[in-house]
Amino acid sequence: MAGYFRLLRQMFTERVFSPRTYVVAVLQGVMLHLYTRPVVEFSKDMGYAAAPWAYPFILSNIFFLLLFMIGIIYCFSDVPFMQYKNMYQVIRTGRRRWAAGQIGVILAQSFLIMAVNVFFSMVLLSGTCEFTLDWGKLYHTLALTGSPEEYRFLFAFSYETMQMFTPFELIALTVVIGTLEIGFMGLFMFAVSIYINRSAAVTAAFVMVLLIYLVENIHPLLRKKMAMFVPVNWMRVTQIGVKLHDSFIQPPVFYMLMALAAGIAVCAVLILIKIRKMEFQWYKEE
């Protein structure tokens, strides 16, 4: 067990400090800056402090989510991680333990991505921010009056969502669903890569992401039914519990959590089955 955790720590360190992680971090940081800047400007002009809880509303914006998930696909586009330096890990630990280590790293990296994004959004708002356990007057004003055109807001605050959830509840829900969704995406790409190839994995992941546009533009009465089969759309947490034409936009939270957990479990089992007999193809370090 100690050897497994050493392997996990080593693999996790390699992933966190990889060039792909740096690229994704910069991309997501720039996006967050563009999305939070109007909030900061509006806060200064209105004289209201901004609460540090804007990230769930930002992530629920369809264009931000699209770019966010493209970054995730790029981050995991090299799964399974079979660079020559990993060859010795397989020899020392065995195929199944090595694969289990990769699964653990993908899930840990998924949580880290979500935690860093939430933290960075708070940092970007810190110039005009006050720490409060409430949504604050600024966000209620924006939710009730809309985003002023002169500030060019790229996302919207939902008053209905703020009535249903406390900031802590919505942030926690964002991190949990986001972690499970990113983890599922990474393991799905892993499984497709070893059963078919990396190109098929990337293509399938892109199709899954683009389905959020189908959910957004389908007839409102069919939206919930379609949304039940598009896990990426579940990351738009501010739509949870919201109705459109007397029909909920998103499936229940319990359904989302169970479906993502089941998807992760199925992908993990498929990976562990295939890894026992597959022929490894090692790549040069990137």
Side-chain angles (χ1 to χ4, degrees):
M1 184 61 68
Y4 173 75
F5 282 111
R6 282 197 299 271
L7 170 67
L8 196 63
R9 184 175 63 251
Q10 178 184 352
M11 295 174 69
F12 182 70
T13 302
E14 291 175 356
R15 290 299 302 171
V16 170
F17 296 102
S18 69
R20 288 177 186 271
T21 302
Y22 295 144
V23 171
V24 172
V26 171
L27 171 65
Q28 294 178 349
V30 171
M31 288 165 51
L32 281 172
H33 171 69
L34 294 175
Y35 273 72
T36 57
R37 185 174 59 183
V39 179
V40 174
E41 293 176 353
F42 185 69
S43 174
K44 290 179 179 178
D45 291 347
M46 293 294 294
Y48 298 152
W53 317 117
Y55 187 71
F57 300 97
I58 296 174
L59 187 62
S60 295
N61 176 266
I62 191 170
F63 301 109
F64 182 92
L65 181 58
L66 174 66
L67 294 176
F68 178 89
M69 291 307 298
I70 288 176
I72 298 301
I73 293 173
Y74 172 73
C75 185
F76 291 126
S77 61
D78 60 339
V79 293
F81 316 123
M82 290 182 176
Q83 297 179 1
Y84 281 113
K85 62 183 178 182
N86 302 122
M87 184 188 304
Y88 304 102
Q89 294 175 342
V90 178
I91 295 173
R92 290 198 310 268
T93 62
R95 287 171 173 251
R96 298 188 71 175
R97 182 174 292 184
W98 175 78
Q102 292 217 37
I103 293 169
V105 167
I106 289 173
L107 295 176
Q109 188 175 7
S110 301
F111 173 76
L112 181 64
I113 289 171
M114 290 304 302
V116 168
N117 271 268
V118 171
F119 174 75
F120 194 45
S121 68
M122 293 179 177
V123 170
L124 289 171
L125 292 170
S126 61
T128 58
C129 179
E130 66 171 355
F131 184 80
T132 173
L133 297 179
D134 298 321
W135 289 113
K137 189 172 183 178
L138 182 74
Y139 295 167
H140 278 100
T141 300
L142 288 169
L144 292 171
T145 63
S147 304
E149 294 184 2
E150 62 268 25
Y151 292 93
R152 298 175 184 253
F153 275 76
L154 301 174
F155 66 102
F157 289 91
S158 169
Y159 182 75
E160 191 173 355
T161 299
M162 289 190 283
Q163 292 294 104
M164 284 189 292
F165 299 101
T166 66
F168 180 79
E169 289 172 342
L170 197 61
I171 287 288
L173 196 59
T174 301
V175 172
V176 171
I177 292 179
T179 298
L180 291 176
E181 170 56 34
I182 295 171
F184 169 69
M185 182 68 76
L187 294 181
F188 173 79
M189 293 178 67
F190 192 162
V192 175
S193 292
I194 60 177
Y195 278 91
I196 306 178
N197 55 51
R198 287 182 175 180
S199 298
V202 172
T203 301
F206 264 114
V207 171
M208 289 176 63
V209 171
L210 292 177
L211 285 175
I212 62 175
Y213 278 99
L214 180 59
V215 175
E216 179 74 10
N217 294 291
I218 202 170
H219 192 281
L221 297 178
L222 300 175
R223 182 170 295 182
K224 181 183 176 181
K225 293 181 180 179
M226 185 66 195
M228 294 184 73
F229 303 99
V230 184
V232 177
N233 193 66
W234 303 343
M235 296 178 71
R236 305 178 73 184
V237 293
T238 60
Q239 294 184 346
I240 294 174
V242 176
K243 285 186 175 182
L244 183 64
H245 296 285
D246 295 325
S247 178
F248 287 105
I249 298 176
Q250 295 278 33
V253 172
F254 181 78
Y255 171 87
M256 296 181 190
L257 298 179
M258 291 300 100
L260 288 172
I264 289 172
V266 169
C267 290
V269 170
L270 290 175
I271 290 167
L272 293 175
I273 291 173
K274 180 66 175 179
I275 211 76
R276 294 174 58 188
K277 298 181 179 180
M278 69 173 289
E279 182 178 347
F280 286 3
Q281 295 181 351
W282 302 101
Y283 301 89
K284 294 182 180 180
E285 295 186 19
E286 298 180 359

